[in-house]
Amino acid sequence: MEIDEKYMRRALQLARQGGGHTSPNPMVGAVVVHNGIIIGEGFHRCCGKSHAEVNAISSVRDQSLLPESTIYVTLEPCSHYGKTPPCAKLLIEKGIKRVVVGTLDPFEKVSGRGVAMLREVGAEVLVGVLEQECRELNHRFFTAHTTGKPWVMLKWAQSSDGFLASKDGRVGFSTPLTRALMHRERSMVDAIVVGANTVKIDNPTLTVRHWSGSSPLRVVLDRKLTMPSSSGLLNDGGKILIYNDKKEEVRGNIEWVKLDTTEPQAWLRDMYRRGITSVMIEGGYNVLQQLINASAWNELRIEVSPILLGEGIKAPIIETSQAKYQEVDGNVILTLILDSHTIESMQA
């Protein structure tokens, strides 16, 4: 078991290299071992590209060693045809007789089926090696596929006396460094959500600019369709999703979806059905507080500036006593990630 953990730790190291590029797929790493020697390694590099098992097996120079080898993979090999063929089928074709899996896949098209396929042909399959670490690696992916809603991160910046902005809504609290870090967080999620008021006041692009990575899907909660037609989001050619109470329409890169925008569970479930597994909420007070009141969040990131405003638009009210504090470039970053037990008690 100690040996199995050793190689699984290496698979976890590899998996992390896919961070920011694999979503909505999970990060996965794989290691092929023959007689105590690693002969192949791989990880899932990008959504739509080869999975970790394929890359690890392809890296093995002497393929004749595979039937006598063990493959370690952080997540159960897939068993269905998606953008790529089933990895479980590949392991069977290569004659690999021992497979060590970190954790089962929560995705309903896989969940246990990959392991079953391997065992049906007589392969020895060990499941649960460093399971906690393997699940934590993809906690957003696991949460989405077990709840039917994306992982939700609430994010905002505020003054030290608790204001989001001045009365006219125009105050910036981030520094160049903290802005880059937040753009890194943007690159790690599938979608970013704001309200119509944020679009009217800030005319944001909601793209990744201060970090290397893909920009998320832009989503606007615009109940009465009050967003100005001149808004950059409507004219920059990028894809945008608009939840509203009035119309259902698709026009080029813009899609309007009619549903109750005051009910977070409704639009979160719709996003999950679209394959979105993680969301950053960058809306103003109303959107953020709506999610807080509905206990519809998993992660909190607040940037607190030493600036004092005295008056303005109040920041959302939320308990942060359990948050972690980190000073970055003169500002304080508060982070809080809810564990599964806390989420369940909040939603009970």
Side-chain angles (χ1 to χ4, degrees):
M1 192 65 174
E2 187 175 328
I3 290 297
D4 289 336
E5 289 184 357
K6 170 185 173 181
Y7 294 120
M8 189 60 74
R9 290 193 191 283
R10 175 55 183 162
L12 282 165
Q13 288 179 336
L14 292 165
R16 293 187 184 98
Q17 295 184 51
H21 303 285
T22 65
S23 192
N25 289 348
M27 294 175 279
V28 183
V31 175
V32 182
V33 178
H34 179 265
N35 288 341
I37 298 174
I38 294 177
I39 60 172
E41 295 185 335
F43 63 95
H44 185 35
R45 294 177 178 273
C46 180
C47 179
K49 301 298 183 181
S50 299
H51 288 187
E53 299 93 321
V54 175
N55 292 332
I57 288 172
S58 297
S59 73
V60 176
R61 292 184 179 180
D62 186 352
Q63 297 279 304
S64 68
L65 298 178
L66 290 173
E68 301 170 358
S69 301
T70 296
I71 186 167
Y72 295 83
V73 60
T74 55
L75 188 69
E76 176 183 10
C78 62
S79 56
H80 68 294
Y81 283 90
K83 292 183 179 179
T84 59
C87 290
K89 185 173 182 289
L90 174 65
L91 302 188
I92 292 170
E93 291 173 349
K94 293 296 182 178
I96 297 177
K97 297 180 177 62
R98 186 169 188 264
V99 182
V100 180
V101 176
T103 183
L104 295 179
D105 192 326
F107 185 45
E108 62 179 1
K109 290 185 178 180
V110 181
S111 194
R113 293 178 176 85
V115 167
M117 281 179 63
L118 293 163
R119 285 175 174 163
E120 283 173 5
V121 298
E124 177 192 349
V125 184
L126 177 62
V127 179
V129 175
L130 297 185
E131 182 171 14
Q132 184 67 24
E133 290 91 331
C134 291
R135 290 176 66 90
E136 178 58 30
L137 174 70
N138 290 298
H139 60 275
R140 297 178 178 182
F141 177 82
F142 273 83
T143 296
H145 289 300
T146 53
T147 65
K149 294 174 291 185
W151 175 275
V152 177
M153 176 199 293
L154 305 183
K155 175 262 176 185
W156 71 84
Q158 67 176 63
S159 65
S160 59
D161 53 350
F163 293 96
L164 288 175
S166 59
K167 284 185 175 181
D168 62 5
R170 298 184 182 279
V171 168
F173 298 113
S174 296
T175 71
L177 176 56
T178 61
R179 187 176 298 113
L181 292 176
M182 284 306 171
H183 276 248
R184 175 184 180 276
E185 293 300 326
R186 276 189 185 179
S187 74
M188 302 287 283
V189 297
D190 298 336
I192 184 168
V193 178
V194 297
N197 284 337
T198 295
V199 176
K200 293 175 194 175
I201 296 170
D202 297 338
N203 193 23
T205 62
L206 304 181
T207 57
V208 174
R209 301 182 304 283
H210 303 287
W211 196 269
S212 176
S214 301
S215 293
L217 171 70
R218 287 91 56 83
V219 180
V220 180
L221 302 177
D222 190 5
R223 185 180 182 189
K224 300 301 181 182
L225 295 180
T226 59
M227 189 166 42
S229 59
S230 60
S231 299
L233 292 177
L234 297 175
N235 298 283
D236 63 8
K239 189 174 181 181
I240 178 173
L241 188 64
I242 303 173
Y243 288 118
N244 69 96
D245 293 357
K246 292 182 174 291
K247 69 176 182 178
E248 193 94 18
E249 182 183 343
V250 178
R251 190 189 308 159
N253 60 299
I254 306 171
E255 181 175 359
W256 289 266
V257 179
K258 185 178 179 182
L259 51 67
D260 185 358
T261 58
T262 65
E263 176 47 65
Q265 307 295 352
W267 49 267
L268 286 172
R269 291 190 185 282
D270 183 76
M271 292 176 82
Y272 174 76
R273 287 191 290 270
R274 295 168 181 272
I276 295 169
T277 59
S278 57
V279 177
M280 177 186 284
I281 311 296
E282 285 200 26
Y285 173 86
N286 291 334
V287 174
L288 290 164
Q289 196 64 53
Q290 184 184 87
L291 285 150
I292 292 169
N293 293 343
S295 298
W297 63 279
N298 307 90
E299 182 174 357
L300 177 69
R301 287 180 180 267
I302 307 173
E303 179 177 351
V304 182
S305 165
I307 293 173
L308 290 169
L309 285 186
E311 61 178 3
I313 301 171
K314 290 291 290 185
I317 299 172
I318 191 168
E319 173 58 52
T320 61
S321 62
Q322 300 301 313
K324 294 181 180 179
Y325 292 72
Q326 180 183 15
E327 185 172 339
V328 180
D329 208 18
N331 287 0
V332 173
I333 307 294
L334 285 71
T335 60
L336 176 60
I337 297 177
L338 302 181
D339 59 37
S340 57
H341 299 297
T342 304
I343 295 170
E344 289 170 4
S345 64
M346 286 173 60
Q347 297 176 345

